[in-house]
Amino acid sequence: MTPYARRGVHGQTVEALARRILGGRIPEGATLDLVALQSELDVSLTALRESLKVLAAKGMVDARQKRGTFVRARADWNLLDADVLRWQFQGADEATDADRTLLRNLAEVRAIVEPAAVRLAAERRTEADLQALEAALDAMGGQDADPGQAVDADLAFHRALLNATHNELLERMEMVIEPGLAHRDRIVHSHPHSEDPVPAHRAVLDAVREQDATAAETAMRALLVQAGRDLDRIDGPDDTKGTGGK
């Protein structure tokens, strides 16, 4: 599940096509008009076909004789792919209805994964793990931190927690969690009335440092509840139902 990081025309073409499919502009089952797309995106047919191969590898498109290249059913898409998650959120500054649904789904995944992961982190953490967590918390800087810095620091903190489990599969969960967490953080940290994230993260770190697995799990659940409150506050009273726990 390595992130697709190629830049230039090829990367731009991949992302343009992906966003159209994910956003419904090219619906499930639609057959792609490659000539029209080539003209619209101003790329060569070779570049377009190479870009479609990337999306085919992620389960989003396929090609058949007589039918041509078409969009596969959403059930076939690799929705846990880091790029697919990132493309769904890319460029959005506010939570749309589709974003909110995906954020709820990711919040439920986090509520399952992170409390269990932090128990392992408390049991297995090394001094290097604690240093990484402390550095991320220092960079978080409270409510006065630059929003971009706060987002990066939060991602670094949760990444360090997963790394502290010393479980390779859990460490890879960062690729599932981070795109949604980054999007949620950009919304929350740019809002003036969000709660200070540092105390909740500090409670997690303190429990991990003390190797108290139960306290670490409790602190992580409290942190996730606070994250849900922050997003609910921004969405407003009419949109809060079901959004807790992010």
Side-chain angles (χ1 to χ4, degrees), residues 51-71:
S51 298
L52 289 169
K53 287 180 181 178
V54 175
L55 300 185
K58 298 179 185 297
M60 296 176 66
V61 300
D62 202 352
R64 294 284 187 273
Q65 285 188 349
K66 297 184 179 179
R67 181 175 180 181
T69 302
F70 61 94
V71 178

Side-chain angles (χ1 to χ4, degrees), residues 143-191:
Q143 289 178 302
D144 295 330
D146 173 81
Q149 175 186 331
V151 170
D152 290 343
D154 194 30
L155 295 178
F157 186 91
H158 289 272
R159 187 184 309 119
L161 275 179
L162 292 174
N163 289 340
T165 67
H166 297 279
N167 177 307
E168 288 183 338
L169 297 182
L170 280 172
E171 290 173 27
R172 294 296 179 126
M173 285 299 295
E174 72 172 90
M175 300 181 70
V176 175
I177 292 172
E178 282 198 10
L181 179 58
H183 181 67
R184 189 209 73 89
D185 282 354
R186 283 192 294 270
I187 296 169
V188 168
H189 289 301
S190 63
H191 195 274

Side-chain angles (χ1 to χ4, degrees), residues 22 40 73 102 156 237:
L22 291 164
E40 185 177 347
L102 186 57

Side-chain angles (χ1 to χ4, degrees), residues 187-204:
I187 296 169
V188 168
H189 289 301
S190 63
H191 195 274
H193 302 299
S194 299
E195 295 182 54
D196 183 354
V198 171
H201 287 77
R202 170 60 67 184
V204 172

Side-chain angles (χ1 to χ4, degrees), residues 63-85:
R64 294 284 187 273
Q65 285 188 349
K66 297 184 179 179
R67 181 175 180 181
T69 302
F70 61 94
V71 178
R72 298 178 66 180
R74 184 180 178 87
D76 296 325
W77 301 353
N78 186 357
L79 294 177
L80 291 179
D81 182 273
D83 291 320
V84 176
L85 288 166

